[in-house]
Amino acid sequence: MSAREYLQQHKIQYTIEREEVVTYLMENLTHPTADEVYRGLKLMDSSVSRATVFNTLKTLAEHHAVSTLLIEEGVIRYDISTKPHAHFRCSRCGRIADVVVNSNASFCLPEGYSACNISYVIVGRCPECQEK
Amino acid sequence: MSAREYLQQHKIQYTIEREEVVTYLMENLTHPTADEVYRGLKLMDSSVSRATVFNTLKTLAEHHAVSTLLIEEGVIRYDISTKPHAHFRCSRCGRIADVVVNSNASFCLPEGYSACNISYVIVGRCPECQEK
DNA sequence: TTCACTGCAAATCATTTGCAAGGCC
DNA sequence: GGCCTTGCAAATGATTTGCAGTGAA
């Protein structure tokens, strides 16, 4: 699906900047921060401003067109992947990887609560950072 | 266990300020932010400074005496509870509740990865915020 | 044309840090 | 006494916002 169609599908008004941001996310499934998206676009000769990237990502998140990952202190990472999956963060190098969830854990939600989203964050060591 | 013993057990040097912070966390299992801890202590006539509360919580986390919850954008919440449990956040009022995990989900960790911590965050609606 | 969106710079907010003074071992 | 911790205030870094100009419908 094109970025343009993606915006349409999520009922978000089209602008060149939004298309650029969505395209970047689609081509870089690396859970980037807003600043990483900004710097990535700059390298590709985009003229978007940093504020617009931040605002655009916030808009996309509000429309559930991207999900926000709270996986690292101090920054918000964004993910345009639609399939539910868990995230792995290496405690040494900070690398973030996708992880397939085999089965859902069952939770004892107290009476009256309802869930709409469950996220899993696994912290550990990636292959390069294993203790010898 | 007293706050003093708790510090000792985690090999953290004792100071009055650290004792106050730990005591606060033990008596307020509400996943407070650093600022909430600071304001709570102020109400109890403590003389700790804001920076010390931030630094103390960071120290406690580094010694694994408290866990940091990345459950809300922009702030770090702290939890002194030792039992593994999931966290629920109401998407409307922001309330955070503990949730019992019945069974662990199984994950397909790619070859070579190792996990040391898994956290679950459930976002949804609490009883007071259910749609009618 | 109209109204939402962008760009810039300034503002904000949580958190961290430098440094001098104080307290624990 | 030596060293670690505190307190204050200033610094930092991510994110947001005000406002005027621009572009999409």
Side-chain angles (χ1 to χ4, degrees):
Chain A
M1 182 187 307
S2 74
R4 195 161 199 144
E5 290 167 342
Y6 193 78
L7 288 170
Q8 220 162 46
Q9 184 181 308
H10 288 273
K11 300 189 168 57
I12 302 171
Q13 181 178 317
Y14 171 86
T15 70
I16 296 173
E17 292 82 3
R18 291 176 180 181
E19 179 176 32
E20 286 180 352
V21 169
V22 169
T23 300
Y24 183 89
L25 290 175
M26 284 174 163
E27 293 175 351
N28 297 273
L29 301 174
T30 53
H31 323 93
T33 62
D35 195 61
E36 284 167 2
V37 173
Y38 171 70
R39 282 184 283 122
L41 290 176
K42 277 298 171 193
L43 290 180
M44 296 156 63
D45 285 329
S46 166
S47 61
V48 268
S49 76
R50 186 186 306 270
T52 298
V53 172
F54 275 90
N55 291 332
T56 296
L57 287 169
K58 196 174 191 198
T59 301
L60 291 171
E62 283 165 2
H63 288 258
H64 301 101
V66 300
S67 51
T68 60
L69 305 186
L70 303 179
I71 192 172
E72 200 175 327
E73 295 175 14
V75 289
I76 301 175
R77 293 188 169 277
Y78 293 90
D79 192 353
I80 203 170
S81 167
T82 53
K83 293 187 195 132
H85 57 279
H87 291 99
F88 174 93
R89 175 166 59 87
C90 177
S91 59
R92 186 158 165 277
C93 71
R95 168 203 299 223
I96 291 172
D98 286 342
V99 173
V100 173
V101 182
N102 284 334
S103 65
N104 286 326
S106 73
F107 298 98
C108 237
L109 270 185
E111 188 72 35
Y113 288 76
S114 63
C116 69
N117 181 277
I118 300 183
S119 71
Y120 306 90
V121 175
I122 304 167
V123 179
R125 288 290 178 96
C126 74
E128 283 73 38
C129 295
Q130 290 295 332
E131 319 262 11
K132 298 299 174 304
Chain B
M1 184 187 306
S2 74
R4 194 161 199 146
E5 291 168 341
Y6 193 78
L7 288 170
Q8 222 163 44
Q9 182 181 310
H10 288 274
K11 300 189 170 54
I12 302 170
Q13 183 178 315
Y14 170 87
T15 68
I16 295 174
E17 292 81 3
R18 291 176 179 180
E19 179 177 32
E20 286 180 353
V21 168
V22 170
T23 300
Y24 183 89
L25 289 174
M26 286 176 160
E27 293 176 350
N28 298 274
L29 301 173
T30 52
H31 323 93
T33 62
D35 195 62
E36 284 166 3
V37 173
Y38 171 70
R39 282 185 280 121
L41 290 177
K42 277 298 173 195
L43 290 180
M44 295 155 65
D45 285 328
S46 166
S47 62
V48 269
S49 76
R50 186 184 306 267
T52 297
V53 171
F54 275 90
N55 292 332
T56 296
L57 287 168
K58 196 175 191 197
T59 301
L60 291 171
E62 282 164 4
H63 288 258
H64 301 100
V66 301
S67 51
T68 60
L69 305 186
L70 303 178
I71 192 173
E72 198 175 328
E73 294 173 15
V75 288
I76 301 174
R77 293 188 170 275
Y78 294 92
D79 193 352
I80 203 171
S81 167
T82 54
K83 294 186 195 132
H85 57 277
H87 291 99
F88 174 93
R89 176 166 58 86
C90 177
S91 58
R92 185 158 167 275
C93 70
R95 166 202 301 222
I96 291 172
D98 286 342
V99 173
V100 173
V101 182
N102 285 333
S103 67
N104 286 326
S106 72
F107 298 98
C108 238
L109 269 186
E111 189 73 34
Y113 287 77
S114 64
C116 70
N117 181 278
I118 299 182
S119 71
Y120 306 89
V121 175
I122 304 166
V123 179
R125 287 292 177 95
C126 73
E128 283 72 40
C129 295
Q130 291 293 332
E131 320 261 12
K132 297 301 174 301

